[in-house]
Amino acid sequence: MFASQRRVISVDFGGTSIKVAQVLLKGRKRPIIEGLYYEKFSSQEDLPRFLSSVREKLNMRKSFNVIALHGVQSIYRFVEVPKLDEVELEKAIHYEEEIYVPFPPEERVVDYDIIGSSGSNYWVALAGVKKSNVLDLVAPFTDKGFVFHRAELAGLALTNLFNFTFADEFKDKSVVILDVGAKYSIFVVLMHGLPVIIREISMGGDLFTEYIEDALQMSKNEAELLKLNPGDRYEEVITALDPIFYRFSEEIKVSMEYTGNISIGKIEDIFLIGGGSRCPGLKERLGKALKMQIRPWDCLSGFKIDKRLSPAIFDSKKDMLHVCLGATLL
């Protein structure tokens, strides 16, 4: 399963929260979650205190193995290029990069991986990010002396975890992963376990809260509490959310058209995760609009949990840990 025994510490730094996971990878044995820390905050000024606390608890140096990238103006594209020698292949991929990664050369960070082939062509996963956006994201850490050995798109972290969790169960199918966060949602289409589409959509739980706030004329805090626990006001909340659920569903439909010339086949299953996925009525609306089966995904399946850890953090945060845990599976 994993080449050797090693500890990996990952960071998932979203718009309103931070998660840190420490996982022990042990060859063919189940990985062990040794540490898991979550904090929601309204200001980056809270970050140094949180990092100091995590560093002390994990007895770690000022070094993380990997950070998951959100909202950094990333491009992910699945392209086909001819099977060429190494020099000509680099030229062909650079040509695709110029087309699909529209950042200035000095602002462009690009990586690629050959993930399959068909006839005389390679299937290439092409990923690009805007350098300044990445530097802005990691600045709160690097300003305090922390370093990262690797950065990974959040969508690829989700892919890692999905393939680890389900192994061969969906190897012959195409599925959708939709991670609804606070500010962004990550949309991934997997074909035979390979990520064909990864997009970040600028809609999430915070926007859902705004619709409740505006429709029901209440404060943001009141709207957030009502969203999480609508009680006997469920119908009011659903009515308030219906316009944004429609927009959200339409955005997902549009996202499915970004496959280019690659036929992904029929998609029947969507794995809905993330803190925003708990919003009342979202699961039902998406299932109906997209004509897909909404499936559960336990991110802890396949892991062992260190007996010293409190189960409470897992019970309440389970829907929010997929990216953080997926980033540890190098």
Side-chain angles (χ1 to χ4, degrees):
M1 186 182 297
F2 302 102
S4 60
Q5 176 170 312
R6 62 194 186 280
R7 282 181 174 82
V8 179
I9 301 176
S10 69
V11 177
D12 176 15
F13 184 36
T16 60
S17 66
I18 182 171
K19 302 104 178 172
V20 175
Q22 177 175 289
V23 173
L24 176 63
L25 306 177
K26 299 185 64 177
R28 299 190 62 82
K29 296 181 180 179
R30 293 171 66 192
I32 301 173
I33 300 174
E34 297 182 321
L36 190 60
Y37 304 95
Y38 168 94
E39 184 153 323
K40 188 176 178 69
F41 53 87
S42 56
S43 169
Q44 290 191 0
E45 294 177 0
D46 297 330
L47 192 57
R49 174 188 52 77
F50 174 81
L51 290 174
S52 296
S53 174
V54 169
R55 185 184 176 202
E56 181 179 339
K57 289 173 181 174
L58 293 180
N59 193 27
M60 62 177 283
R61 299 176 180 175
K62 286 193 170 183
S63 174
F64 295 100
N65 298 93
V66 59
I67 184 169
L69 301 178
H70 293 264
V72 292
Q73 204 168 341
S74 62
I75 303 292
Y76 178 90
R77 186 82 185 187
F78 195 86
V79 299
E80 287 189 86
V81 297
K83 291 181 177 178
L84 302 166
D85 62 51
E86 187 174 345
V87 174
E88 293 302 313
L89 181 62
E90 286 281 349
K91 291 180 180 178
I93 292 174
H94 180 69
Y95 174 78
E96 299 290 340
E97 171 189 327
E98 291 292 328
I99 296 173
Y100 294 116
V101 187
F103 309 135
E106 68 276 9
E107 273 283 282
R108 188 188 303 159
V109 179
V110 178
D111 197 7
Y112 72 89
D113 191 17
I114 298 173
I115 56 179
S117 63
S118 176
S120 61
N121 289 337
Y122 285 125
W123 291 347
V124 177
L126 183 67
V129 296
K130 194 172 183 180
K131 184 189 297 184
S132 59
N133 289 1
V134 175
L135 294 177
D136 288 345
L137 178 73
V138 302
F141 299 88
T142 54
D143 288 350
K144 299 299 178 183
F146 286 85
V147 297
F148 298 95
H149 298 293
R150 189 167 67 92
E152 182 167 278
L153 295 181
L156 292 177
L158 288 173
T159 299
N160 293 346
L161 185 63
F162 184 89
N163 288 327
F164 168 73
T165 303
F166 295 105
D168 295 333
E169 186 176 348
F170 292 92
K171 69 177 182 179
D172 297 323
K173 295 183 179 181
S174 295
V175 302
V176 166
I177 303 169
L178 182 58
D179 183 358
V180 186
K183 295 184 180 297
Y184 303 95
S185 294
I186 306 169
F187 172 85
V188 183
V189 175
L190 296 181
M191 181 181 69
H192 310 311
L194 301 176
V196 181
I197 306 171
I198 299 177
R199 286 192 71 207
E200 281 205 344
I201 300 169
S202 299
M203 298 183 191
D206 286 354
L207 188 58
F208 301 161
T209 301
E210 287 180 22
Y211 269 72
I212 297 172
E213 181 182 350
D214 292 343
L216 302 183
Q217 295 295 295
M218 56 177 55
S219 70
K220 182 177 180 178
N221 287 340
E222 289 171 331
E224 180 70 18
L225 290 173
L226 188 61
K227 182 183 73 175
L228 297 176
N229 298 285
D232 58 7
R233 301 188 69 180
Y234 180 85
E235 293 301 328
E236 286 184 86
V237 172
I238 293 300
T239 300
L241 289 169
D242 193 60
I244 186 58
F245 282 175
Y246 174 79
R247 282 180 52 198
F248 194 53
S249 299
E250 290 300 302
E251 188 66 30
I252 301 302
K253 290 178 183 178
V254 169
S255 296
M256 290 185 174
E257 298 174 2
Y258 279 74
T259 55
N261 295 324
I262 297 171
S263 175
I264 61 177
K266 186 177 182 181
I267 301 175
E268 297 180 348
D269 301 295
I270 179 168
F271 291 81
L272 183 64
I273 57 175
S277 69
R278 299 176 179 181
C279 193
L282 179 61
K283 175 181 176 180
E284 293 75 15
R285 181 60 186 263
L286 285 177
K288 183 177 180 180
L290 303 176
K291 296 181 174 59
M292 292 185 187
Q293 179 182 355
I294 308 295
R295 297 181 61 113
W297 178 9
D298 180 359
C299 67
L300 302 178
S301 176
F303 289 90
K304 291 178 67 176
I305 299 173
D306 192 297
K307 61 184 180 181
R308 294 170 294 181
L309 296 182
S310 167
I313 187 172
F314 299 104
D315 293 340
S316 60
K317 304 295 187 296
K318 196 181 289 189
D319 288 335
M320 309 178 195
L321 303 175
H322 293 72
V323 170
C324 191
L325 290 174
T328 67
L329 303 176
L330 304 175

